[in-house]
Amino acid sequence: MTTVPVRVRGAAYDVAIGVGLLARAGEVLPSFTGAERAFVVAAQPVAERFLGTLGASLELPAVHLAVPEGEEAKTLRTAEALWEHLATQGAHRADPVMALGGGSTGDVAGFVAATYMRGVPFVQLPTTLTAQVDAAIGGKVGVNLPRGKNLVGAFHQPAAVLADVSTLATLPEEEFRSGLGEAAKYGLAVDPWVLDVLERRHGAVLARDPGALADLVAACVRAKASVVEADERDTGARSVLNYGHTLAHALERLEGYGRVSHGEAVAMGMAFAARLSVTLGIGSEDLPARHRRVLASLGLPKSFPELDPDEVLEAMHLDKKYRQGIRFVLLEEVGRPRLVEVRPEAIRESLSEALGGVA
C-alpha cells in the first residue's frame, strides 16, 4: 500500500493506494468517533460487486443508499432523495457518508455530505480510474444543472480516500480509457513524471497490471495533491487542472452527458488546446505532435464531432470558469501551463479549422 498525504488547511487527509484495500477498509480508514453507521452511496451494479467486501471490513454497520449510474446521479433530485433517506434513517453528524463508485457518485455523495446537517464526514472509495487519479481528490463536490456541468456544489474535503486498484480489473474498456485521459492530463499539464510512467509501463498499464496501475494512480495523486495544497479553493494555481476541460465541458453539454465519456472529451480538449497554444504563439511547435502520440498510444480520440463553432462557443460561455472572457489553460511546454483569456474570435476560427479533425 502507498499512502499519499493531502495537506490542505484544516483538513489534512491521506490517500491510500493499493491492491485489495476494500477488504481492509476498516483497518485503513480512520475511526469516526461517535458514529453508529456508515451510509454508503453506490449505484446498484457497484454495490452488488463491492459492497459485501466493504461492509465485511468496516467497523460500522453499512447502510446502502442507491443512486443512478454515471452522470444521471448528479442531479438535485438525486441529492434530495439522499437527504431524505439520511433524515428518515436518523443519520447524525458523526455518521460518515461514503462514496463507492466513480466520479459522479463521489460528486453527488460529497455534495450531500457537505450539506446534510451543514456537513458530515465524507469518505471517497473510488472504483474507476478517472475517480482514482482525479475526481476523488481535492474536495470539489456538486451536481449538474441542465444548463451546465457542476454549476451547484461546494468544497468538502474527504476524511480519507481509499483507492483499491483491484476494482479496475472489471471496468469497461471505455471507462478505463476515459481514466487514462485524465492521467494524460496530469502528465501533459502538471507533472511530466506521469507521462514517464505511462510510457515506461505502457504495456502493463493497458493490460491493467495492478502494480503498474498503483504506480500510475500514485503519480497522479501526488501531482494533484501538490496543486490542491497550493490552491484548495480554486482561486488561481488550481486552474491548471482544467487543462482540456474548457472544450470538454462544452462537448459534454452539447453531445449530452454520458454520450461522450469525460476522459474522451478531455482528450479532445487537450488536443485542441495544444493547437491553440501554437496558434497563439504561446506553445512550442512540437506540442500538437506530442499530444497526438500520447493520446493515440492510449486509444483516445484526437478529434471531436462536427458541431457548429458558434454553439460550442456559447456552451463555453456557460462554463462556471467563465470570467468576462473564455479562459483556457494552454501550454508553453509539457508541464509548463499558462492561464490565458482567449478572444472569442480566435476560438471560433480555431474551432472552424479543427472541426472533423483536431489532430
Side-chain angles (χ1 to χ4, degrees):
M1 184 179 77
T2 299
T3 301
V4 178
V6 182
R7 299 294 180 247
V8 290
R9 183 177 299 176
Y13 56 95
D14 289 331
V15 182
I17 304 152
V19 179
L21 293 188
L22 286 180
R24 298 172 51 199
E27 166 194 343
V28 176
L29 294 177
S31 297
F32 297 95
T33 303
E36 297 175 354
R37 288 167 293 174
F39 291 89
V40 182
V41 178
Q44 192 59 39
V46 175
E48 291 173 358
R49 189 172 296 128
F50 302 121
L51 186 56
T53 300
L54 173 67
S57 71
L58 291 175
E59 297 177 350
L60 299 168
V63 179
H64 177 213
L65 302 181
V67 293
E69 293 186 80
E71 288 287 329
E72 291 184 16
K74 289 182 59 174
T75 66
L76 286 170
R77 179 177 296 179
T78 300
E80 183 177 11
L82 291 173
W83 289 321
E84 288 290 345
H85 283 306
L86 290 170
T88 299
Q89 298 191 54
H92 56 76
R93 274 189 171 175
D95 293 333
V97 169
M98 299 187 175
L100 178 66
S104 297
T105 297
D107 281 353
V108 69
F111 179 61
V112 167
T115 49
Y116 182 73
M117 289 192 170
R118 298 190 177 89
V120 299
F122 177 47
V123 174
Q124 287 271 24
L125 304 167
T127 62
T128 68
L129 185 57
T130 301
Q132 291 185 4
V133 302
D134 183 69
I137 297 94
K140 281 187 176 182
V141 296
V143 296
N144 303 329
L145 295 180
R147 295 284 288 175
K149 188 167 182 173
N150 299 323
L151 291 180
V152 177
F155 289 93
H156 190 58
Q157 297 291 347
V161 180
L162 189 155
D164 185 346
V165 297
S166 306
T167 64
L168 307 180
T170 58
L171 201 63
E173 186 66 18
E174 182 179 330
E175 284 192 53
F176 181 71
R177 292 191 182 273
S178 180
L180 292 177
E182 284 290 351
K185 176 195 76 175
Y186 282 101
L188 291 165
V190 182
D191 186 354
W193 174 250
V194 177
L195 284 188
D196 182 76
V197 175
L198 281 170
E199 293 170 346
R200 180 168 42 85
R201 308 201 66 183
H202 178 261
V205 167
L206 293 186
R208 308 195 196 189
D209 173 77
L213 291 177
D215 286 349
L216 177 62
V217 172
C220 292
V221 171
R222 289 190 185 98
K224 183 161 190 179
S226 68
V227 176
V228 170
E229 289 170 356
D231 181 20
E232 179 185 0
R233 295 280 171 161
D234 200 7
T235 59
R238 190 165 173 169
S239 296
V240 303
L241 300 181
N242 294 320
Y243 185 56
H245 285 62
T246 303
L247 178 59
H249 284 172
L251 293 177
E252 287 178 294
R253 178 174 178 268
L254 292 172
E255 287 294 287
Y257 298 127
R259 292 186 61 186
V260 57
S261 76
H262 181 64
E264 289 175 332
V266 169
M268 300 174 203
M270 291 190 296
F272 180 75
R275 267 184 62 156
L276 191 59
S277 296
V278 176
T279 298
L280 296 178
I282 291 170
S284 60
E285 291 290 335
D286 65 339
L287 268 178
R290 182 73 190 277
H291 280 62
R292 286 196 296 270
R293 289 195 300 272
V294 170
L295 299 176
S297 73
L298 300 175
L300 292 164
K302 307 180 292 295
S303 62
F304 54 87
E306 293 193 15
L307 297 167
D308 184 334
D310 288 323
E311 290 184 356
V312 177
L313 203 57
E314 181 183 359
M316 287 180 180
H317 277 84
L318 291 169
D319 192 276
K320 65 183 185 303
K321 297 181 291 298
Y322 177 82
R323 295 287 189 280
Q324 298 179 343
I326 298 175
R327 298 189 300 169
F328 271 85
V329 178
L330 302 179
L331 298 185
E332 299 174 5
E333 299 279 358
V334 168
R336 290 176 58 189
R338 186 199 295 184
L339 190 62
V340 180
E341 301 280 349
V342 184
R343 292 182 298 105
E345 295 77 15
I347 298 170
R348 184 184 291 107
E349 181 179 348
S350 295
L351 284 170
S352 297
E353 293 173 354
L355 280 175
V358 170

